[in-house]
């Protein structure tokens, strides 16, 4: 053990694809929630207090959304490198465990597009309700994803991230890679964080050897994604909040396991 507190790193980003009306909430909520994290008023703040974790919030150029990926790449190469580096630099190499979380209105659409491009299948198989879409909203979301897949045909893992990801998803991938380099376990959150993990999974064999899945979320395709990545979730509580909350809830299970492993007589 390295001895420091577990760290929760939340990355917030705005996505240009919200122009396609794919979310039940407006993009301004991303910045509002980032402020709520910093003020201590979100679910993740309470979970960090409960389990003794340190929380950091990283707002990634919220005033400038990524490009609308139905018309071409979400980011250019310099943008992608910048946010991968931001995620990498957020990880303290002396901590015992890292949780990565996110906030970004519209990012279940980005995550679903990433899964379709990286793991295959139809857009409708990956599109879910997000923050509360009805059936018509989910069908529209799938159509937007199909358009994005045609507009961005490259299937190299990092190119898929550049073209279909959000800054917050790329930063989570960077943070998970940094944790792998420093041999720090990562406790994975929900549908969107798992999409960042899927990029690493497709980019490099063994890239997720340090990753545990904290939970299966209520987003319909999350269990399918975890299975494709070979990850078994610790919890299945029907959560859909994001912001690292499902992984933080699972932190108590990890701490209990470590306490038993370290303290029992046999």
């Amino acid at each position: 053990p390295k001895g420091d507190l577990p760290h929760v790193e939340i990355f917030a980003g705005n996505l240009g694809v919200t122009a396609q009306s794919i979310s039940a909430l407006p993009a301004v909520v991303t910045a509002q929630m980032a402020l709520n994290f910093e003020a201590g008023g979100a679910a993740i703040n309470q979970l960090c207090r409960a389990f003794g974790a340190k929380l950091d919030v990283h707002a990634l150029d919220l005033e400038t959304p990524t490009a609308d990926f139905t018309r071409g790449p979400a980011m250019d190469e310099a943008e992608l490198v910048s946010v991968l580096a931001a995620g990498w630099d957020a990880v303290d190499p002396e901590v015992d465990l890292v949780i990565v979380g996110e906030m970004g209105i519209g990012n279940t659409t980005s995550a679903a597009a990433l899964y379709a491009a990286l793991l295959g299948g139809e857009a409708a198989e990956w599109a879910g309700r997000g923050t509360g879409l009805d059936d018509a909203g989910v069908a529209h979301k799938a159509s937007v994803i199909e358009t994005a897949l045609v507009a961005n045909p490259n299937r190299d893992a990092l190119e898929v991230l550049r073209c279909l990801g959000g800054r917050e998803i790329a930063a989570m991938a960077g943070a998970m890679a940094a944790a792998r380099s420093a041999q720090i376990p990562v406790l994975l959150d929900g549908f969107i964080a798992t999409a960042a993990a899927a990029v690493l999974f497709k980019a490099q064999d063994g890239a997720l050897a340090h990753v545990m899945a904290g939970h299966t979320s209520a987003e319909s395709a999350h269990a399918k994604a975890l299975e494709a990545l070979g990850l078994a979730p610790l919890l299945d509580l029907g959560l859909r909040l994001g912001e690292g909350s499902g992984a933080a809830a699972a932190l108590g299970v990890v701490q209990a396991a470590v306490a038993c492993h370290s303290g029992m007589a046999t």
Side-chain angles (χ1 to χ4, degrees):
K2 302 189 180 189
D4 205 348
L5 297 174
H7 278 204
V8 179
E9 305 295 339
I10 297 182
F11 303 96
N14 273 320
L15 295 94
V17 73
T18 55
Q20 301 297 326
S21 302
I22 40 76
S23 176
L25 297 175
V28 68
V29 172
T30 301
Q32 292 171 347
M33 281 302 300
L35 291 173
N36 194 27
F37 299 145
E38 292 171 354
I44 189 61
N45 300 99
Q46 319 323 313
L47 291 163
C48 286
R49 291 191 192 104
F51 297 119
K54 180 178 181 291
L55 175 66
D56 295 310
V57 181
H58 309 271
L60 302 169
D61 201 10
L62 295 184
E63 66 278 5
T64 308
T66 55
D68 180 353
F69 57 56
T70 62
R71 300 177 180 180
M75 294 175 275
D76 62 27
E77 186 173 332
E79 286 179 278
L80 177 62
V81 169
S82 174
V83 287
L84 284 169
W88 183 285
D89 292 342
V91 174
D92 181 345
E94 296 304 314
V95 302
D96 273 347
L97 182 144
V98 171
I99 291 171
V100 293
E102 47 60 43
M103 179 63 211
I105 295 302
N107 63 11
T108 58
T109 299
S110 175
L114 288 170
Y115 288 128
L118 293 166
L119 302 178
E122 299 298 321
E125 298 173 38
W126 297 106
R129 298 194 182 279
T131 50
L133 294 175
D134 59 16
D135 288 349
V138 174
H140 171 64
K141 184 177 185 176
S143 175
V144 167
I145 293 166
E146 288 172 358
T147 301
L149 293 170
V150 172
N152 298 280
N154 194 318
R155 295 297 177 259
D156 172 81
L158 289 176
E159 274 294 288
V160 168
L161 178 61
R162 181 179 76 84
C163 293
L164 299 173
R167 291 190 185 97
E168 72 290 1
I169 296 176
M172 287 192 293
M176 282 187 268
R180 182 76 178 99
S181 177
Q183 297 184 309
I184 302 168
V186 169
L187 195 52
L188 194 60
D189 194 43
F191 185 75
I192 299 148
T194 303
V199 173
L200 300 180
F201 177 81
K202 295 297 287 187
Q204 177 67 48
D205 289 345
L208 302 185
H210 63 314
V211 172
M212 300 174 288
H215 75 124
T216 301
S217 78
E219 192 70 3
S220 56
H222 188 212
K224 175 182 175 181
L226 289 175
E227 182 178 4
L229 271 54
L231 298 174
L234 297 179
L235 302 176
D236 184 357
L237 300 174
L239 303 176
R240 60 161 66 253
L241 190 57
E243 68 191 42
S245 58
L251 181 56
V253 175
V254 174
Q255 290 174 335
V258 171
C260 292
H261 182 76
S262 301
M264 288 175 65
T266 62

